[in-house]
Amino acid sequence: MRNLKMTITYDGFKYKGWQKQKETDLTIQGKIEAVLSKMTGEAIQLVGCGRTDSGVHADNYIANFHTKCAFSINTMLDYLYEFLPEDIVIKSMENVAERFHARYNVKSKTYVYRINNNKFRDVFNRKYSYHLAEKLNLTEMRNASEVLIGSHDFQSFTNSRNSDKSTSRTINYINIIEKDGLVEIEVNGNGFLLNMVRIIVGTLIEVGKGNLKPIDVKKILIEKKRWEAGPLAQAKGLFLRDVQY
Amino acid sequence: MRNLKMTITYDGFKYKGWQKQKETDLTIQGKIEAVLSKMTGEAIQLVGCGRTDSGVHADNYIANFHTKCAFSINTMLDYLYEFLPEDIVIKSMENVAERFHARYNVKSKTYVYRINNNKFRDVFNRKYSYHLAEKLNLTEMRNASEVLIGSHDFQSFTNSRNSDKSTSRTINYINIIEKDGLVEIEVNGNGFLLNMVRIIVGTLIEVGKGNLKPIDVKKILIEKKRWEAGPLAQAKGLFLRDVQY
């Protein structure tokens, strides 16, 4: 059996997220598995590096699958390129060790959230950024983001109702940069709970607007109550940028 | 009467070009005139800086209109922002002299054509660039572009059948830059014939592929036969970047 690792980019705008679902045909995993299964004649099951929410984009999503198919990597890439929808592209593929697992082996992931902080919407990026005309205080947002760095229980920052599993995660860094009114919030961590990046961003936006202070974010983290944190930021601004193994 | 000059950005993907047409509601001019007429209670007629083809985009299109409306510029901008479709935005507006005319007063215009010259399509820019996997020879394209600089009869580079009007135009410069596989062809000239930028680009692409030599472009220019030039490049890669007055 071969084990193949793929790097995938997708415009998530019209999809219900990465994970295959019985209720809908519109998932990234479902679209790719269908083409791979047709290509190989096998029932291919993809192992993805994690779930991305409905509407979230990816620059470099990682997945792997096992197959007996002997096609060359270029042949497979060409086949996938031709038969996948125009908003999903497999950028590269490589043979990896049998034991490689796209989810279990993740060391960390980098997400980027894009906010158009100019007065008007950007007609060319309206599906790939969240528009907020009110000027954000980036210094306060950076101060608040420092509270979140390190290992913490992020229970306040998830919409998951699964209380059996640990909600402890480690955030390695949060960078907030701005260029021509486009604010990018880059978050790197060892793992993320359901909606965690978007709730962190939603909370930092409240800080940027002056509705919360950095010290409030510390309280929110300690009190472990979802309703104290900010709202869920819109999916269309979020990109899975990279996965580190 | 006030004379107001507007700077407009639009995603032209779904529109039939700038100019109002009886057959369709989907024109940029038509959409803006409808909102302005409603706002002012007058039958507003826009003077645009020129026509853009169906599917072509604009970063900074210029138009002007006369009105008796006394609203402040900010009020007008807010009204337009709210009632125009999401793919059209009036970026700014200013009071100008009565004699200002957005078309007659144009000194030059800058267009940019974007080619994604990477192996695969870019899922996020597929509506805003032309994808060509075959590697272009940019040096040859730059050499060929030099042939076009200056004042020439561009009859070979237009699809216009109006033989009464002069087809002489002056191209001031053509810059071809490349970054991360994205090739941008910037063309500045004192005026452009119907489809002229897209036929110039289509011809330069033929040079980049090795199907034409720079010296062939000189011949095409001299012979004044449309069918000798390259094909019409796809509209979705073209942006009206700026207008100089």
Side-chain angles (χ1 to χ4, degrees):
Chain A
M1 288 285 265
R2 291 166 86 183
N3 187 7
L4 286 154
K5 176 187 171 190
M6 302 194 298
T7 303
I8 308 163
T9 181
Y10 52 84
D11 171 354
F13 196 76
K14 74 171 186 201
Y15 294 97
K16 303 295 175 195
W18 164 264
Q19 198 176 42
K20 200 163 55 172
Q21 294 163 43
K22 278 181 188 146
E23 307 76 34
T24 174
D25 186 39
L26 283 175
T27 67
I28 314 294
Q29 183 184 12
K31 290 291 182 195
I32 301 174
E33 283 186 355
V35 177
L36 283 175
S37 298
K38 192 155 188 184
M39 181 182 79
T40 59
E42 305 165 17
I44 297 293
Q45 284 199 305
L46 281 171
V47 177
C49 62
R51 299 176 192 183
T52 58
D53 296 340
S54 182
V56 170
H57 313 292
D59 296 302
N60 297 290
Y61 185 97
I62 305 292
N64 75 292
F65 66 99
H66 293 83
T67 181
K68 287 178 182 154
C69 175
F71 291 160
S72 75
I73 281 178
N74 277 337
T75 300
M76 289 194 191
L77 283 175
D78 288 347
Y79 187 97
L80 286 155
Y81 188 67
E82 187 167 348
F83 293 104
L84 280 171
E86 61 170 5
D87 42 17
I88 303 175
V89 167
I90 313 300
K91 294 165 80 175
S92 63
M93 207 187 257
E94 56 179 313
N95 290 299
V96 287
E98 182 62 28
R99 68 185 177 279
F100 176 81
H101 189 284
R103 191 166 73 256
Y104 297 158
N105 296 160
V106 170
K107 285 217 178 77
S108 58
K109 282 184 201 163
T110 311
Y111 280 93
V112 174
Y113 196 91
R114 288 158 49 109
I115 302 166
N116 168 18
N117 202 205
N118 289 308
K119 187 178 176 196
F120 298 135
R121 62 185 173 261
D122 175 345
V123 297
F124 305 115
N125 275 297
R126 58 193 202 279
K127 292 181 179 174
Y128 311 115
S129 61
Y130 165 61
H131 179 226
L132 183 71
E134 185 182 346
K135 272 291 164 214
L136 291 168
N137 182 332
L138 300 185
T139 307
E140 283 290 87
M141 288 171 71
R142 288 186 188 110
N143 290 340
S145 73
E146 283 176 24
V147 170
L148 303 170
I149 307 304
S151 300
H152 304 283
D153 184 336
F154 283 97
Q155 207 177 312
S156 312
F157 294 89
T158 179
N159 286 329
S160 173
R161 288 173 191 160
N162 186 337
S163 55
D164 296 342
K165 290 197 179 169
S166 165
T167 46
S168 287
R169 294 292 185 275
T170 302
I171 291 194
N172 299 312
Y173 63 81
I174 299 179
N175 290 324
I176 302 178
I177 58 164
E178 186 270 340
K179 199 190 162 197
D180 299 332
L182 181 72
V183 176
E184 292 198 343
I185 304 175
E186 188 183 18
V187 184
N188 176 280
N190 73 340
F192 294 92
L193 304 163
L194 179 67
N195 297 152
M196 180 170 152
V197 181
R198 289 161 65 194
I199 298 168
I200 287 176
V201 169
T203 306
L204 292 178
I205 288 173
E206 289 304 301
V207 174
K209 287 174 168 177
N211 299 335
L212 290 174
K213 291 278 161 202
I215 192 152
D216 298 323
V217 177
K218 187 149 196 129
K219 274 189 223 147
I220 292 166
L221 193 61
I222 292 166
E223 295 190 357
K224 302 195 183 75
K225 297 193 176 84
R226 166 68 189 96
W227 57 88
E228 306 238 333
L232 185 67
Q234 285 181 21
K236 66 178 184 173
L238 186 61
F239 293 71
L240 175 60
R241 181 64 49 93
D242 276 309
V243 186
Q244 293 83 38
Y245 288 96
Chain B
M1 290 282 266
R2 290 168 87 184
N3 187 8
L4 286 153
K5 177 187 172 191
M6 303 195 296
T7 303
I8 308 163
T9 182
Y10 52 84
D11 172 353
F13 196 78
K14 75 172 187 203
Y15 293 97
K16 304 295 176 196
W18 165 265
Q19 198 176 42
K20 199 162 55 171
Q21 294 162 44
K22 278 181 187 146
E23 307 77 33
T24 175
D25 185 40
L26 282 174
T27 68
I28 313 294
Q29 184 184 13
K31 290 291 180 195
I32 302 174
E33 283 185 357
V35 177
L36 283 174
S37 298
K38 193 155 190 184
M39 180 182 80
T40 59
E42 305 166 17
I44 297 294
Q45 284 198 304
L46 281 172
V47 177
C49 62
R51 299 177 192 181
T52 57
D53 297 340
S54 180
V56 170
H57 313 292
D59 297 301
N60 296 290
Y61 185 97
I62 305 292
N64 74 293
F65 66 98
H66 293 84
T67 180
K68 286 178 185 154
C69 175
F71 291 158
S72 76
I73 282 178
N74 277 337
T75 300
M76 289 194 191
L77 283 176
D78 288 347
Y79 187 97
L80 285 156
Y81 188 67
E82 187 168 348
F83 292 103
L84 280 171
E86 61 169 6
D87 42 18
I88 303 175
V89 168
I90 314 300
K91 294 164 79 173
S92 63
M93 207 187 258
E94 56 179 313
N95 290 299
V96 287
E98 182 63 28
R99 67 184 178 280
F100 176 82
H101 189 284
R103 191 166 72 255
Y104 297 158
N105 295 159
V106 171
K107 285 217 177 79
S108 58
K109 281 184 201 162
T110 311
Y111 280 94
V112 174
Y113 196 91
R114 288 158 48 111
I115 302 166
N116 168 18
N117 202 204
N118 289 309
K119 187 178 177 196
F120 297 135
R121 61 185 172 261
D122 175 345
V123 297
F124 304 114
N125 275 297
R126 56 191 203 281
K127 291 180 179 174
Y128 310 115
S129 61
Y130 165 60
H131 179 227
L132 183 70
E134 185 182 345
K135 272 290 163 215
L136 291 168
N137 183 332
L138 301 185
T139 307
E140 283 290 87
M141 288 170 72
R142 288 186 188 111
N143 290 339
S145 74
E146 282 177 24
V147 170
L148 303 170
I149 308 303
S151 300
H152 303 283
D153 184 335
F154 284 97
Q155 207 177 311
S156 312
F157 294 87
T158 179
N159 287 329
S160 172
R161 289 175 191 158
N162 186 337
S163 55
D164 297 343
K165 289 195 180 170
S166 167
T167 45
S168 286
R169 294 293 185 276
T170 301
I171 292 194
N172 300 312
Y173 62 81
I174 299 178
N175 291 324
I176 303 178
I177 58 163
E178 185 270 340
K179 199 191 163 198
D180 299 332
L182 182 72
V183 175
E184 292 198 344
I185 303 175
E186 188 184 17
V187 184
N188 176 280
N190 73 340
F192 293 93
L193 305 164
L194 178 66
N195 297 151
M196 181 169 151
V197 182
R198 289 162 65 195
I199 298 170
I200 286 175
V201 169
T203 305
L204 292 178
I205 288 172
E206 289 303 301
V207 173
K209 287 176 168 177
N211 298 335
L212 289 174
K213 291 277 160 203
I215 192 151
D216 297 324
V217 176
K218 187 148 196 131
K219 274 189 223 148
I220 292 165
L221 194 61
I222 292 166
E223 295 191 358
K224 302 194 182 75
K225 297 191 176 86
R226 167 67 188 96
W227 57 88
E228 307 238 333
L232 185 68
Q234 285 181 22
K236 67 178 184 172
L238 187 61
F239 292 72
L240 175 61
R241 180 65 48 95
D242 276 310
V243 187
Q244 293 83 37
Y245 289 95

PDB file of all heavy atoms in Angstrom, chain A residues 76-101:
ATOM      1  N   MET A  76      -1.642  11.493 -11.189  1.00  0.00           N
ATOM      2  CA  MET A  76      -2.714  11.719 -10.209  1.00  0.00           C
ATOM      3  C   MET A  76      -3.048  13.209 -10.099  1.00  0.00           C
ATOM      4  O   MET A  76      -4.224  13.581 -10.080  1.00  0.00           O
ATOM      5  CB  MET A  76      -2.284  11.214  -8.826  1.00  0.00           C
ATOM      6  CG  MET A  76      -2.215   9.700  -8.728  1.00  0.00           C
ATOM      7  SD  MET A  76      -2.098   9.233  -6.981  1.00  0.00           S
ATOM      8  CE  MET A  76      -1.696   7.493  -7.141  1.00  0.00           C
ATOM      9  N   LEU A  77      -2.017  14.046 -10.030  1.00  0.00           N
ATOM     10  CA  LEU A  77      -2.254  15.494  -9.904  1.00  0.00           C
ATOM     11  C   LEU A  77      -3.034  16.018 -11.114  1.00  0.00           C
ATOM     12  O   LEU A  77      -3.967  16.813 -10.964  1.00  0.00           O
ATOM     13  CB  LEU A  77      -0.926  16.249  -9.777  1.00  0.00           C
ATOM     14  CG  LEU A  77      -0.232  16.199  -8.413  1.00  0.00           C
ATOM     15  CD1 LEU A  77       1.126  16.890  -8.478  1.00  0.00           C
ATOM     16  CD2 LEU A  77      -1.095  16.869  -7.327  1.00  0.00           C
ATOM     17  N   ASP A  78      -2.658  15.556 -12.306  1.00  0.00           N
ATOM     18  CA  ASP A  78      -3.355  16.008 -13.515  1.00  0.00           C
ATOM     19  C   ASP A  78      -4.817  15.561 -13.506  1.00  0.00           C
ATOM     20  O   ASP A  78      -5.717  16.309 -13.865  1.00  0.00           O
ATOM     21  CB  ASP A  78      -2.653  15.472 -14.769  1.00  0.00           C
ATOM     22  CG  ASP A  78      -1.316  16.169 -15.021  1.00  0.00           C
ATOM     23  OD1 ASP A  78      -1.067  17.216 -14.382  1.00  0.00           O
ATOM     24  OD2 ASP A  78      -0.526  15.663 -15.833  1.00  0.00           O
ATOM     25  N   TYR A  79      -5.043  14.321 -13.072  1.00  0.00           N
ATOM     26  CA  TYR A  79      -6.406  13.789 -13.028  1.00  0.00           C
ATOM     27  C   TYR A  79      -7.265  14.609 -12.045  1.00  0.00           C
ATOM     28  O   TYR A  79      -8.365  15.047 -12.360  1.00  0.00           O
ATOM     29  CB  TYR A  79      -6.362  12.319 -12.603  1.00  0.00           C
ATOM     30  CG  TYR A  79      -7.695  11.605 -12.692  1.00  0.00           C
ATOM     31  CD1 TYR A  79      -8.021  10.820 -13.799  1.00  0.00           C
ATOM     32  CD2 TYR A  79      -8.632  11.699 -11.662  1.00  0.00           C
ATOM     33  CE1 TYR A  79      -9.251  10.156 -13.879  1.00  0.00           C
ATOM     34  CE2 TYR A  79      -9.852  11.046 -11.734  1.00  0.00           C
ATOM     35  CZ  TYR A  79     -10.162  10.281 -12.844  1.00  0.00           C
ATOM     36  OH  TYR A  79     -11.376   9.645 -12.910  1.00  0.00           O
ATOM     37  N   LEU A  80      -6.704  14.817 -10.856  1.00  0.00           N
ATOM     38  CA  LEU A  80      -7.434  15.584  -9.833  1.00  0.00           C
ATOM     39  C   LEU A  80      -7.700  17.010 -10.311  1.00  0.00           C
ATOM     40  O   LEU A  80      -8.780  17.570 -10.100  1.00  0.00           O
ATOM     41  CB  LEU A  80      -6.635  15.615  -8.532  1.00  0.00           C
ATOM     42  CG  LEU A  80      -6.640  14.296  -7.755  1.00  0.00           C
ATOM     43  CD1 LEU A  80      -5.409  14.184  -6.862  1.00  0.00           C
ATOM     44  CD2 LEU A  80      -7.921  14.173  -6.921  1.00  0.00           C
ATOM     45  N   TYR A  81      -6.694  17.606 -10.953  1.00  0.00           N
ATOM     46  CA  TYR A  81      -6.836  18.984 -11.430  1.00  0.00           C
ATOM     47  C   TYR A  81      -7.984  19.086 -12.424  1.00  0.00           C
ATOM     48  O   TYR A  81      -8.737  20.052 -12.435  1.00  0.00           O
ATOM     49  CB  TYR A  81      -5.527  19.440 -12.079  1.00  0.00           C
ATOM     50  CG  TYR A  81      -5.506  20.899 -12.426  1.00  0.00           C
ATOM     51  CD1 TYR A  81      -5.518  21.866 -11.432  1.00  0.00           C
ATOM     52  CD2 TYR A  81      -5.499  21.312 -13.757  1.00  0.00           C
ATOM     53  CE1 TYR A  81      -5.515  23.212 -11.744  1.00  0.00           C
ATOM     54  CE2 TYR A  81      -5.494  22.657 -14.080  1.00  0.00           C
ATOM     55  CZ  TYR A  81      -5.496  23.605 -13.070  1.00  0.00           C
ATOM     56  OH  TYR A  81      -5.500  24.930 -13.383  1.00  0.00           O
ATOM     57  N   GLU A  82      -8.106  18.064 -13.256  1.00  0.00           N
ATOM     58  CA  GLU A  82      -9.144  18.104 -14.288  1.00  0.00           C
ATOM     59  C   GLU A  82     -10.542  17.860 -13.717  1.00  0.00           C
ATOM     60  O   GLU A  82     -11.499  18.506 -14.134  1.00  0.00           O
ATOM     61  CB  GLU A  82      -8.839  17.071 -15.379  1.00  0.00           C
ATOM     62  CG  GLU A  82      -9.792  17.203 -16.555  1.00  0.00           C
ATOM     63  CD  GLU A  82      -9.356  16.423 -17.779  1.00  0.00           C
ATOM     64  OE1 GLU A  82      -8.201  15.945 -17.817  1.00  0.00           O
ATOM     65  OE2 GLU A  82     -10.190  16.288 -18.703  1.00  0.00           O
ATOM     66  N   PHE A  83     -10.654  16.943 -12.756  1.00  0.00           N
ATOM     67  CA  PHE A  83     -11.992  16.539 -12.338  1.00  0.00           C
ATOM     68  C   PHE A  83     -12.516  17.172 -11.050  1.00  0.00           C
ATOM     69  O   PHE A  83     -13.696  17.062 -10.735  1.00  0.00           O
ATOM     70  CB  PHE A  83     -12.085  15.007 -12.278  1.00  0.00           C
ATOM     71  CG  PHE A  83     -11.984  14.380 -13.654  1.00  0.00           C
ATOM     72  CD1 PHE A  83     -10.814  13.760 -14.080  1.00  0.00           C
ATOM     73  CD2 PHE A  83     -13.055  14.466 -14.529  1.00  0.00           C
ATOM     74  CE1 PHE A  83     -10.714  13.226 -15.353  1.00  0.00           C
ATOM     75  CE2 PHE A  83     -12.966  13.928 -15.812  1.00  0.00           C
ATOM     76  CZ  PHE A  83     -11.788  13.298 -16.234  1.00  0.00           C
ATOM     77  N   LEU A  84     -11.650  17.848 -10.304  1.00  0.00           N
ATOM     78  CA  LEU A  84     -12.155  18.545  -9.107  1.00  0.00           C
ATOM     79  C   LEU A  84     -12.852  19.844  -9.526  1.00  0.00           C
ATOM     80  O   LEU A  84     -12.563  20.390 -10.590  1.00  0.00           O
ATOM     81  CB  LEU A  84     -11.000  18.856  -8.146  1.00  0.00           C
ATOM     82  CG  LEU A  84     -10.533  17.697  -7.272  1.00  0.00           C
ATOM     83  CD1 LEU A  84      -9.255  18.053  -6.523  1.00  0.00           C
ATOM     84  CD2 LEU A  84     -11.627  17.304  -6.271  1.00  0.00           C
ATOM     85  N   PRO A  85     -13.756  20.370  -8.686  1.00  0.00           N
ATOM     86  CA  PRO A  85     -14.393  21.665  -8.994  1.00  0.00           C
ATOM     87  C   PRO A  85     -13.338  22.779  -9.051  1.00  0.00           C
ATOM     88  O   PRO A  85     -12.249  22.611  -8.501  1.00  0.00           O
ATOM     89  CB  PRO A  85     -15.345  21.889  -7.815  1.00  0.00           C
ATOM     90  CG  PRO A  85     -15.445  20.610  -7.094  1.00  0.00           C
ATOM     91  CD  PRO A  85     -14.241  19.796  -7.419  1.00  0.00           C
ATOM     92  N   GLU A  86     -13.683  23.874  -9.699  1.00  0.00           N
ATOM     93  CA  GLU A  86     -12.684  24.920  -9.929  1.00  0.00           C
ATOM     94  C   GLU A  86     -12.202  25.602  -8.644  1.00  0.00           C
ATOM     95  O   GLU A  86     -11.163  26.252  -8.642  1.00  0.00           O
ATOM     96  CB  GLU A  86     -13.206  25.971 -10.912  1.00  0.00           C
ATOM     97  CG  GLU A  86     -14.451  26.699 -10.418  1.00  0.00           C
ATOM     98  CD  GLU A  86     -14.803  27.894 -11.291  1.00  0.00           C
ATOM     99  OE1 GLU A  86     -14.169  28.117 -12.325  1.00  0.00           O
ATOM    100  OE2 GLU A  86     -15.748  28.627 -10.890  1.00  0.00           O
ATOM    101  N   ASP A  87     -12.934  25.414  -7.544  1.00  0.00           N
ATOM    102  CA  ASP A  87     -12.539  26.062  -6.286  1.00  0.00           C
ATOM    103  C   ASP A  87     -11.744  25.152  -5.345  1.00  0.00           C
ATOM    104  O   ASP A  87     -11.504  25.500  -4.179  1.00  0.00           O
ATOM    105  CB  ASP A  87     -13.753  26.679  -5.568  1.00  0.00           C
ATOM    106  CG  ASP A  87     -14.971  25.792  -5.599  1.00  0.00           C
ATOM    107  OD1 ASP A  87     -14.806  24.588  -5.872  1.00  0.00           O
ATOM    108  OD2 ASP A  87     -16.088  26.295  -5.359  1.00  0.00           O
ATOM    109  N   ILE A  88     -11.312  23.992  -5.854  1.00  0.00           N
ATOM    110  CA  ILE A  88     -10.458  23.081  -5.078  1.00  0.00           C
ATOM    111  C   ILE A  88      -9.283  22.667  -5.968  1.00  0.00           C
ATOM    112  O   ILE A  88      -9.488  22.228  -7.097  1.00  0.00           O
ATOM    113  CB  ILE A  88     -11.215  21.796  -4.652  1.00  0.00           C
ATOM    114  CG1 ILE A  88     -12.479  22.129  -3.850  1.00  0.00           C
ATOM    115  CG2 ILE A  88     -10.294  20.865  -3.855  1.00  0.00           C
ATOM    116  CD1 ILE A  88     -13.332  20.900  -3.495  1.00  0.00           C
ATOM    117  N   VAL A  89      -8.054  22.826  -5.450  1.00  0.00           N
ATOM    118  CA  VAL A  89      -6.873  22.411  -6.218  1.00  0.00           C
ATOM    119  C   VAL A  89      -5.920  21.636  -5.306  1.00  0.00           C
ATOM    120  O   VAL A  89      -5.636  22.069  -4.192  1.00  0.00           O
ATOM    121  CB  VAL A  89      -6.118  23.626  -6.822  1.00  0.00           C
ATOM    122  CG1 VAL A  89      -4.734  23.225  -7.353  1.00  0.00           C
ATOM    123  CG2 VAL A  89      -6.930  24.270  -7.941  1.00  0.00           C
ATOM    124  N   ILE A  90      -5.451  20.475  -5.770  1.00  0.00           N
ATOM    125  CA  ILE A  90      -4.388  19.750  -5.066  1.00  0.00           C
ATOM    126  C   ILE A  90      -3.081  20.327  -5.594  1.00  0.00           C
ATOM    127  O   ILE A  90      -2.741  20.163  -6.763  1.00  0.00           O
ATOM    128  CB  ILE A  90      -4.440  18.225  -5.354  1.00  0.00           C
ATOM    129  CG1 ILE A  90      -5.869  17.671  -5.215  1.00  0.00           C
ATOM    130  CG2 ILE A  90      -3.448  17.486  -4.454  1.00  0.00           C
ATOM    131  CD1 ILE A  90      -6.493  17.824  -3.868  1.00  0.00           C
ATOM    132  N   LYS A  91      -2.349  21.029  -4.728  1.00  0.00           N
ATOM    133  CA  LYS A  91      -1.139  21.727  -5.165  1.00  0.00           C
ATOM    134  C   LYS A  91       0.059  20.796  -5.306  1.00  0.00           C
ATOM    135  O   LYS A  91       0.907  20.995  -6.161  1.00  0.00           O
ATOM    136  CB  LYS A  91      -0.780  22.822  -4.147  1.00  0.00           C
ATOM    137  CG  LYS A  91      -1.807  23.932  -4.092  1.00  0.00           C
ATOM    138  CD  LYS A  91      -1.627  24.797  -2.837  1.00  0.00           C
ATOM    139  CE  LYS A  91      -0.517  25.815  -3.003  1.00  0.00           C
ATOM    140  NZ  LYS A  91      -0.456  26.722  -1.813  1.00  0.00           N
ATOM    141  N   SER A  92       0.140  19.798  -4.421  1.00  0.00           N
ATOM    142  CA  SER A  92       1.244  18.852  -4.523  1.00  0.00           C
ATOM    143  C   SER A  92       0.876  17.575  -3.797  1.00  0.00           C
ATOM    144  O   SER A  92      -0.098  17.525  -3.032  1.00  0.00           O
ATOM    145  CB  SER A  92       2.524  19.448  -3.932  1.00  0.00           C
ATOM    146  OG  SER A  92       2.343  19.698  -2.562  1.00  0.00           O
ATOM    147  N   MET A  93       1.667  16.538  -4.059  1.00  0.00           N
ATOM    148  CA  MET A  93       1.405  15.220  -3.501  1.00  0.00           C
ATOM    149  C   MET A  93       2.751  14.529  -3.347  1.00  0.00           C
ATOM    150  O   MET A  93       3.644  14.731  -4.175  1.00  0.00           O
ATOM    151  CB  MET A  93       0.538  14.458  -4.504  1.00  0.00           C
ATOM    152  CG  MET A  93      -0.337  13.403  -3.898  1.00  0.00           C
ATOM    153  SD  MET A  93      -1.140  12.465  -5.206  1.00  0.00           S
ATOM    154  CE  MET A  93      -2.757  13.167  -5.168  1.00  0.00           C
ATOM    155  N   GLU A  94       2.898  13.745  -2.290  1.00  0.00           N
ATOM    156  CA  GLU A  94       4.162  13.005  -2.151  1.00  0.00           C
ATOM    157  C   GLU A  94       3.929  11.675  -1.443  1.00  0.00           C
ATOM    158  O   GLU A  94       3.010  11.535  -0.636  1.00  0.00           O
ATOM    159  CB  GLU A  94       5.211  13.835  -1.388  1.00  0.00           C
ATOM    160  CG  GLU A  94       4.761  14.305  -0.034  1.00  0.00           C
ATOM    161  CD  GLU A  94       5.831  15.117   0.723  1.00  0.00           C
ATOM    162  OE1 GLU A  94       6.989  14.669   0.776  1.00  0.00           O
ATOM    163  OE2 GLU A  94       5.475  16.171   1.277  1.00  0.00           O
ATOM    164  N   ASN A  95       4.796  10.694  -1.759  1.00  0.00           N
ATOM    165  CA  ASN A  95       4.769   9.416  -1.061  1.00  0.00           C
ATOM    166  C   ASN A  95       5.364   9.625   0.319  1.00  0.00           C
ATOM    167  O   ASN A  95       6.435  10.218   0.445  1.00  0.00           O
ATOM    168  CB  ASN A  95       5.620   8.385  -1.820  1.00  0.00           C
ATOM    169  CG  ASN A  95       4.981   7.983  -3.135  1.00  0.00           C
ATOM    170  OD1 ASN A  95       3.879   7.446  -3.155  1.00  0.00           O
ATOM    171  ND2 ASN A  95       5.661   8.270  -4.234  1.00  0.00           N
ATOM    172  N   VAL A  96       4.662   9.142   1.334  1.00  0.00           N
ATOM    173  CA  VAL A  96       5.185   9.280   2.702  1.00  0.00           C
ATOM    174  C   VAL A  96       5.198   7.923   3.386  1.00  0.00           C
ATOM    175  O   VAL A  96       4.616   6.944   2.875  1.00  0.00           O
ATOM    176  CB  VAL A  96       4.362  10.301   3.547  1.00  0.00           C
ATOM    177  CG1 VAL A  96       4.640  11.724   3.100  1.00  0.00           C
ATOM    178  CG2 VAL A  96       2.866   9.994   3.490  1.00  0.00           C
ATOM    179  N   ALA A  97       5.858   7.870   4.535  1.00  0.00           N
ATOM    180  CA  ALA A  97       5.956   6.611   5.283  1.00  0.00           C
ATOM    181  C   ALA A  97       4.569   6.100   5.652  1.00  0.00           C
ATOM    182  O   ALA A  97       3.647   6.884   5.872  1.00  0.00           O
ATOM    183  CB  ALA A  97       6.799   6.826   6.541  1.00  0.00           C
ATOM    184  N   GLU A  98       4.442   4.793   5.723  1.00  0.00           N
ATOM    185  CA  GLU A  98       3.178   4.122   6.025  1.00  0.00           C
ATOM    186  C   GLU A  98       2.530   4.698   7.291  1.00  0.00           C
ATOM    187  O   GLU A  98       1.316   4.824   7.395  1.00  0.00           O
ATOM    188  CB  GLU A  98       3.457   2.615   6.203  1.00  0.00           C
ATOM    189  CG  GLU A  98       2.240   1.743   6.468  1.00  0.00           C
ATOM    190  CD  GLU A  98       1.216   1.746   5.335  1.00  0.00           C
ATOM    191  OE1 GLU A  98       1.604   1.953   4.168  1.00  0.00           O
ATOM    192  OE2 GLU A  98       0.012   1.573   5.627  1.00  0.00           O
ATOM    193  N   ARG A  99       3.360   5.068   8.259  1.00  0.00           N
ATOM    194  CA  ARG A  99       2.832   5.501   9.558  1.00  0.00           C
ATOM    195  C   ARG A  99       2.365   6.963   9.576  1.00  0.00           C
ATOM    196  O   ARG A  99       1.753   7.407  10.543  1.00  0.00           O
ATOM    197  CB  ARG A  99       3.883   5.290  10.652  1.00  0.00           C
ATOM    198  CG  ARG A  99       5.091   6.208  10.522  1.00  0.00           C
ATOM    199  CD  ARG A  99       6.181   5.929  11.533  1.00  0.00           C
ATOM    200  NE  ARG A  99       7.321   6.800  11.308  1.00  0.00           N
ATOM    201  CZ  ARG A  99       8.262   6.598  10.391  1.00  0.00           C
ATOM    202  NH1 ARG A  99       8.221   5.536   9.611  1.00  0.00           N
ATOM    203  NH2 ARG A  99       9.262   7.450  10.236  1.00  0.00           N
ATOM    204  N   PHE A 100       2.649   7.726   8.514  1.00  0.00           N
ATOM    205  CA  PHE A 100       2.244   9.154   8.526  1.00  0.00           C
ATOM    206  C   PHE A 100       0.724   9.287   8.614  1.00  0.00           C
ATOM    207  O   PHE A 100      -0.019   8.674   7.851  1.00  0.00           O
ATOM    208  CB  PHE A 100       2.749   9.887   7.279  1.00  0.00           C
ATOM    209  CG  PHE A 100       2.260  11.319   7.223  1.00  0.00           C
ATOM    210  CD1 PHE A 100       2.898  12.319   7.956  1.00  0.00           C
ATOM    211  CD2 PHE A 100       1.129  11.666   6.478  1.00  0.00           C
ATOM    212  CE1 PHE A 100       2.429  13.627   7.938  1.00  0.00           C
ATOM    213  CE2 PHE A 100       0.651  12.970   6.452  1.00  0.00           C
ATOM    214  CZ  PHE A 100       1.307  13.949   7.184  1.00  0.00           C
ATOM    215  N   HIS A 101       0.271  10.126   9.539  1.00  0.00           N
ATOM    216  CA  HIS A 101      -1.168  10.358   9.745  1.00  0.00           C
ATOM    217  C   HIS A 101      -1.389  11.877   9.806  1.00  0.00           C
ATOM    218  O   HIS A 101      -0.846  12.557  10.677  1.00  0.00           O
ATOM    219  CB  HIS A 101      -1.605   9.696  11.061  1.00  0.00           C
ATOM    220  CG  HIS A 101      -3.101   9.676  11.271  1.00  0.00           C
ATOM    221  ND1 HIS A 101      -3.801  10.798  11.643  1.00  0.00           N
ATOM    222  CD2 HIS A 101      -4.015   8.672  11.144  1.00  0.00           C
ATOM    223  CE1 HIS A 101      -5.098  10.474  11.755  1.00  0.00           C
ATOM    224  NE2 HIS A 101      -5.245   9.188  11.454  1.00  0.00           N
TER     225      HIS A 101
END
